[in-house]
């Protein structure tokens, strides 16, 4: 079955340090991949998405992600983290079921930033 | 305007009450979604409306009743809920019919507590 995993439940980094959040997917065809961020008490906001083409995708707020088909991964990176990046991060995959598309979210990674 | 609004922000209700959640967008989007999100968990899809018609019902109990009066408005009517229904209810919209390639724009959610 198609699924999305995020191996890290919680990550803590110092402000200014680099960040990498891991995402692995299981999907037979070429997946549609997304990263969303959710700040406390807020809805989700799209950071970036990948459908095809260049495997390095640039997003908002200085984030980027790299699609690696051989590793079934879509890891999110940021070279220098800001305190405002503390939030919950969800990797997601779009998939087609019997009659409709849906987006499946991974379990999320909670990011804490130390000043 | 890329905003999805939800009212109320917080709602406390008893198990015998009837209440409604409201979601509104003025982006001209033609698909709207309800998600349920428990604490520390990813959003779970409940319903999808495409062009004001219910296109997806993810086997949600009948005590949740969605309604789409027009292309800008989505309601979720609640009746005889259980304490385990307490969660953050998120509304989202996409530009076209529900396709997993489309960016979903999320509202801030309604925090529901069932006593």
């Amino acid at each position: 079955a198609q699924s999305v995993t995020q191996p890290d439940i919680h990550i803590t980094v110092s402000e200014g340090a680099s960040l990498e959040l891991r995402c692995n997917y299981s999907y037979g065809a070429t997946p549609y991949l997304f990263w969303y961020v959710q700040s406390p008490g807020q809805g989700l906001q799209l950071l970036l998405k990948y459908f095809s083409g260049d495997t390095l995708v640039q997003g908002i707020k200085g984030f980027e992600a790299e699609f690696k088909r051989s590793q079934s991964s879509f890891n999110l990176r940021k070279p220098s983290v800001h305190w405002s990046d503390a939030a919950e991060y969800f990797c997601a995959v779009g998939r087609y079921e019997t009659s409709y598309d849906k987006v499946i979210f991974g379990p999320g990674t909670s990011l804490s930033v130390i000043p | 305007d890329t905003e999805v609004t939800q009212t109320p922000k917080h709602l406390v209700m008893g198990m015998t009450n009837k209440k409604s959640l409201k979601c509104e967008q003025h982006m001209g989007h033609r698909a709207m979604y309800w998600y349920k999100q428990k604490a520390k968990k990813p959003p779970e899809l409940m319903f999808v409306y495409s062009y004001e018609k219910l296109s997806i019902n993810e086997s949600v109990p009948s005590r949740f009743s969605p309604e789409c009066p027009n292309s800008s408005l989505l309601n979720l009517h609640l009746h005889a809920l259980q304490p385990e229904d307490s969660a953050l209810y998120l509304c989202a919209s996409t530009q076209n019919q529900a396709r997993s390639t489309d960016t979903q724009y999320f509202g801030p959610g309604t925090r529901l507590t069932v006593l």
Side-chain angles (χ1 to χ4, degrees), chain A residues 34 38 49 51 100-102 106, chain B residues 37 42 56 58 100-101 103 107:
Chain A
F34 308 81
Q38 185 176 30
K49 59 186 179 183
F51 297 156
Y100 60 86
D101 285 11
K102 68 187 288 187
Chain B
Q37 186 180 27
I56 299 175
E58 290 282 275
S100 58
T101 51
T103 298

Side-chain angles (χ1 to χ4, degrees), chain A residues 9-10 18 33-34 41-42 48 56 63 66 71-72 74 80 83 86 99 102-103 114:
Chain A
I9 296 174
H10 186 256
S18 63
L33 295 163
F34 308 81
Q42 298 295 316
L48 45 80
L56 186 62
F63 286 93
E66 186 170 14
Q71 298 176 20
S72 297
F74 188 56
S80 178
W83 64 266
S99 59
K102 68 187 288 187
V103 173
I114 301 173

Side-chain angles (χ1 to χ4, degrees), chain A:
Chain A
Q2 297 93 338
S3 67
V4 183
T5 57
Q6 294 178 246
D8 304 303
I9 296 174
H10 186 256
I11 284 182
T12 299
V13 298
S14 298
E15 192 169 15
S18 63
L19 172 70
E20 182 169 33
L21 301 182
R22 296 184 290 163
C23 172
N24 294 98
Y25 66 90
S26 168
Y27 191 61
T30 299
Y32 305 136
L33 295 163
F34 308 81
W35 274 101
Y36 282 86
V37 61
Q38 185 176 30
S39 297
Q42 298 295 316
L44 281 72
Q45 181 183 25
L46 180 72
L47 288 175
L48 45 80
K49 59 186 179 183
Y50 171 80
F51 297 156
S52 63
D54 192 348
T55 56
L56 186 62
V57 181
Q58 301 297 320
I60 63 171
K61 303 187 181 189
F63 286 93
E64 67 176 26
E66 186 170 14
F67 170 63
K68 292 185 177 180
R69 185 186 300 277
S70 61
Q71 298 176 20
S72 297
S73 69
F74 188 56
N75 294 348
L76 182 72
R77 300 193 293 248
K78 186 170 185 178
S80 178
V81 170
H82 188 262
W83 64 266
S84 60
D85 293 322
E88 190 81 19
Y89 290 80
F90 293 99
C91 182
V93 62
R95 73 184 201 204
Y96 181 77
E97 301 211 337
T98 50
S99 59
Y100 60 86
D101 285 11
K102 68 187 288 187
V103 173
I104 303 298
F105 291 89
T109 297
S110 177
L111 174 66
S112 296
V113 180
I114 301 173

Side-chain angles (χ1 to χ4, degrees), chain B residues 86-107:
Chain B
S86 299
L88 182 68
Y89 287 84
L90 293 164
C91 175
S93 68
T94 53
Q95 185 169 12
N96 300 307
Q97 66 182 59
R99 304 290 301 183
S100 58
T101 51
D102 283 358
T103 298
Q104 295 194 38
Y105 291 84
F106 283 84

Side-chain angles (χ1 to χ4, degrees), chain B residues 48-68:
Chain B
V48 182
Y49 274 81
S50 281
Y51 293 91
E52 296 143 63
K53 291 193 173 146
L54 184 64
S55 60
I56 299 175
N57 177 341
E58 290 282 275
S59 303
V60 179
S62 59
R63 57 186 184 268
F64 296 91
S65 175
E67 179 196 20
C68 189

